[in-house]
Amino acid sequence: MRMIRVQRADVFVMALGLLAVMASCARYGAGPTGGPKDLAPPILLSALPPEGDTVHDMNGPTEIVLNFDEYVVLSETDKIVTSPPLSKVSYTGNLKQVKVVIEDTLLRDRTYSINFNNAIGDLHESTPLQGYTYFFSTGSKVDSGRIDGIIKDAFTLAPVASASVMFYARKPEGYPVVSSPDYVAVTDTGGYFQCRYMAEGCYY
């Protein structure tokens, strides 16, 4: 009888000990903190084709792969701006890569740019890679023309955000204008726009 009592007591003590260990492990805040939050945006390691690639194939599909130093996510892809405008383009994010597939037939001797705005962010904190622009040319050189400006409301003089600014090498006919522009830019929250990689010339 005594031996049975001792065994039961041992089991009871062992059970209490296990409960104490479990309670200690499950206690809030007892585990590792994981360190400070990663607030840095993803860093581009490489691009294929590389940025500024020239004599690019004009017949689609054209595939662009961007490689980053950490896992990335894509959001608000509708705010990505291509200039000259592209109508058949898709964006996908997978692990540490962003893939762009262009199915449009590209124009000859043009420098194309893809402004991702805030679409690329890191997986955990969604810190965006702000204003990253990839560019390539279907000619022998990259055009370096640029036009900057600020769009303001004509009545209040307040900056106009998210306004499309379109540039035409030839004067567009009729109103409203339905023809596709040669280049396009979009204003930020302060009404500021910057259209880069434009061919030399005058634009409407």
Side-chain angles (χ1 to χ4, degrees), residues 91-187:
Y91 309 92
T92 55
N94 183 30
L95 301 179
K96 297 183 179 182
Q97 285 188 343
V98 170
K99 183 181 292 185
V100 182
V101 177
I102 302 171
E103 296 185 8
D104 297 73
T105 299
L106 304 177
L107 301 173
R108 185 182 299 276
D109 294 326
R110 288 290 184 94
T111 299
Y112 283 84
S113 65
I114 305 173
N115 185 342
F116 286 89
N117 287 308
N118 294 330
I120 302 174
D122 75 292
L123 175 62
H124 299 293
E125 304 298 334
S126 298
T127 305
L129 176 61
Q130 295 182 348
Y132 170 66
T133 300
Y134 174 87
F135 61 97
F136 65 91
S137 175
T138 58
S140 59
K141 64 180 180 65
V142 172
D143 294 315
S144 58
R146 190 180 83 181
I147 297 178
D148 303 67
I150 296 177
I151 303 299
K152 294 184 178 182
D153 185 284
F155 298 100
T156 65
L157 299 184
V160 180
S162 302
S164 295
V165 186
M166 293 168 281
F167 300 90
Y168 294 83
R170 295 182 179 181
K171 186 176 182 179
E173 300 294 334
Y175 184 83
V177 176
V178 294
S179 57
S180 180
D182 292 278
Y183 300 98
V184 64
V186 176
T187 59

